[in-house]
């Protein structure tokens, strides 16, 4: 009995040596210090170059230390994990830099007055004015595009998943794939050609039509993937009870996937909210408030940003207004993404034991 207890207390000889949990942080700190020294000695002025040197040193140091302590097999695993972290940081750093730059420069003129007034007769070179007319135009144009594009996209996805068979479904899938990759300027030129044929002047609804064209393939693809995730057993159970197929789709399939469908629609709205090229061609911009999207030129936030930045040569006021409008647009897109996540979590199927 005593021999068994002694054997149980012996340390296991099958467990190899492992690096402590703080070793990645120590290697990262050492890599940053060495990279700063190399950058300073070489006269490198770009912090991006310093960061890339630190990333390379971190990968090499991780592999060297892990191979010596844990062996080459475990070192390969650690180097793969380190590559993931380095790639993550390379993706996050520009994003954080963009948000910080926009926030620091956009808050200079962003206030209640800026959000509730239009440019009117204020020259671009002078301070004052606001983006109320641009916010109103963007909301109307994006809203009309959603009313047009979202139902068509959802119904197209339902056809492809539930009914689509044969050459027609293949043709629809092909054209959806093509539309996903078309540049936004092509959609604008298509609507512009129709406007020229019918001799129409620029107006907000024309921009909505172009944005709806850009929105539809995104909605189709996201909705199609969500519908495919619905188990076939639910459909079969409903059909076995004698429920018609259209009612099965309406009462079983769509409620099950409504969270993902809503998320896809919200993300597609966020995608078209920042389009400038079709709006520049079709809406044309307006310095005054135009609440009628079916008559006369309108303004939108992306177009306002472009025009203010284009006219900011030697004018700090226009430059500041462009950054403030950019911050407003980022906040708008962020709110849409948060709404999409909230709706997806609210409408997600409840799981239980």
């Amino acid at each position: 009995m005593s021999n068994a207890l002694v054997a149980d207390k012996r340390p296991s000889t099958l467990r190899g040596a492992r690096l402590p949990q703080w070793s990645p942080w120590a290697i990262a700190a050492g890599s940053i210090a060495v990279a700063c020294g190399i950058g300073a000695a070489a006269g490198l002025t770009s912090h991006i170059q310093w960061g890339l040197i630190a990333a390379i040193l971190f990968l090499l140091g991780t592999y060297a230390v892990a191979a010596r302590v844990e062996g080459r097999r475990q070192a390969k695993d650690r180097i793969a994990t380190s590559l993931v972290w380095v790639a993550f940081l390379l993706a996050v750093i520009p994003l954080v830099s963009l948000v910080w730059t926009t926030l620091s420069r956009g808050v200079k003129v962003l206030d209640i007055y800026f959000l509730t007034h239009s440019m009117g007769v204020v020259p671009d070179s002078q301070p004052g004015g606001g983006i109320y007319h641009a916010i109103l135009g963007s909301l109307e144009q994006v809203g009309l595009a959603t009313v047009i594009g979202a139902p068509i996209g959802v119904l197209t996805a339902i056809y492809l998943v539930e009914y689509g068979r044969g050459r027609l479904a293949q043709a629809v899938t092909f054209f959806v794939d093509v539309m996903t990759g078309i540049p936004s300027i092509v959609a604008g030129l298509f609507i512009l050609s129709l406007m020229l044929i019918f001799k129409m002047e620029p107006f907000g609804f024309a921009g909505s039509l172009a944005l709806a064209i850009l929105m539809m393939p995104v909605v189709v693809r996201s909705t199609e993937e969500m519908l495919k995730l619905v188990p076939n057993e639910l459909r079969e159970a409903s059909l076995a009870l004698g429920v018609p197929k259209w009612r099965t789709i309406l009462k079983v399939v769509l409620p099950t996937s409504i969270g993902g469908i809503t998320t896809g629609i919200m993300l597609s709205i966020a995608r078209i909210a920042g389009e400038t090229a079709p709006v520049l061609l079709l809406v044309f911009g307006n310095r005054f408030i135009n609440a009628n999207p079916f008559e006369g030129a309108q303004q939108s936030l992306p177009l306002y940003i472009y025009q203010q930045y284009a006219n900011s040569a030697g004018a700090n006021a226009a430059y500041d207004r462009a950054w403030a409008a950019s911050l407003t647009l980022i906040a708008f897109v962020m709110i849409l993404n948060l709404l999409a996540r909230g709706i997806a979590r609210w409408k997600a199927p409840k799981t239980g034991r």
Side-chain angles (χ1 to χ4, degrees):
M1 184 68 177
S2 60
N3 294 334
L5 292 176
V6 172
D8 291 338
K9 293 181 180 180
R10 291 176 182 174
S12 176
T13 57
L14 298 178
R15 182 179 299 174
R18 292 185 61 84
L19 291 173
Q21 294 183 353
W22 50 263
S23 59
W25 299 101
I27 297 173
S31 301
I32 294 174
V34 175
C36 292
I38 294 175
L44 301 177
T45 58
S46 175
H47 291 171
I48 297 177
Q49 295 174 331
W50 291 24
L52 292 176
I53 294 174
I56 295 174
L57 292 175
F58 175 70
L59 294 175
L60 295 177
T62 299
Y63 181 81
V65 174
R68 184 174 182 82
V69 177
E70 300 177 337
R72 291 186 178 182
R73 183 176 181 180
Q74 188 65 23
K76 293 178 180 179
D77 179 74
R78 286 189 176 273
I79 200 69
T81 305
S82 300
L83 281 172
V84 173
W85 277 103
V86 169
F88 169 74
L89 291 176
L90 290 177
V92 167
I93 289 174
L95 177 61
V96 173
S97 176
L98 173 64
V99 173
W100 173 253
T101 302
T102 306
L103 184 63
S104 60
R105 297 185 178 181
V107 295
K108 293 181 180 179
V109 296
L110 185 61
D111 52 19
I112 299 298
Y113 179 88
F114 183 74
L115 296 175
T116 56
H117 287 74
S118 65
M119 288 300 296
V121 295
V122 178
D124 290 334
S125 59
Q126 298 297 322
I131 59 171
Y132 176 76
H133 60 311
I135 295 176
L136 182 63
S138 287
L139 291 176
E140 291 181 348
Q141 294 161 27
V142 173
L144 289 172
T146 304
V147 171
I148 298 171
I152 295 177
V154 172
L155 292 175
T156 302
I158 292 175
Y159 167 76
L160 291 175
V161 175
E162 304 294 339
Y163 297 98
R165 300 292 184 275
R167 294 183 178 180
L168 179 59
Q170 294 177 358
V172 173
T173 302
F174 172 76
F175 282 110
V176 168
D177 292 337
V178 173
M179 290 177 62
T180 304
I182 63 171
S184 59
I185 190 67
V186 175
L189 289 174
F190 172 70
I191 303 299
L192 180 62
S193 63
L194 296 179
M195 292 175 59
L196 294 177
I197 291 174
F198 294 101
K199 298 180 180 180
M200 303 172 68
E201 296 294 330
F203 62 111
F205 184 66
S208 299
L209 294 176
L211 295 179
I213 293 175
L214 298 173
M215 180 182 185
M216 280 186 281
V218 180
V219 176
V220 172
R221 277 286 163 254
S222 60
T223 304
E224 189 177 1
E225 294 302 321
M226 291 300 104
L227 294 178
K228 288 179 179 178
L229 293 177
V230 178
N232 286 327
E233 288 78 5
L234 294 178
R235 298 181 176 89
E236 293 171 356
S238 178
L239 295 174
L241 294 174
V243 180
K245 188 170 185 177
W246 68 270
R247 194 171 182 85
T248 299
I249 296 172
L250 188 63
K251 295 294 185 178
V252 177
V253 177
L254 289 180
T256 305
S257 58
I258 190 63
I261 294 174
T262 305
T263 302
I265 293 175
M266 288 290 186
L267 293 178
S268 65
I269 294 174
R271 190 262 188 200
I272 65 173
E275 291 292 342
T276 306
V279 178
L280 178 62
L281 288 175
L282 306 172
V283 180
F284 211 66
N286 193 343
R287 301 179 67 87
F288 297 90
I289 299 173
N290 179 15
N292 186 4
F294 300 99
E295 183 180 358
Q298 262 193 329
Q299 188 62 276
S300 71
L301 275 174
L303 183 57
Y304 178 90
I305 296 168
Y306 168 76
Q307 291 176 341
Q308 289 297 311
Y309 190 83
N311 298 328
S312 64
N316 292 329
Y319 190 74
D320 293 337
R321 284 193 295 265
W323 280 108
S326 301
L327 180 59
T328 306
L329 184 59
I330 290 177
F332 175 70
V333 174
M334 186 179 297
I335 291 172
L336 285 179
N337 281 272
L338 292 176
L339 284 176
R341 290 182 176 273
I343 293 174
R345 180 171 295 182
W346 174 44
K347 291 295 184 178
K350 300 299 185 293
T351 58
R353 292 185 177 179

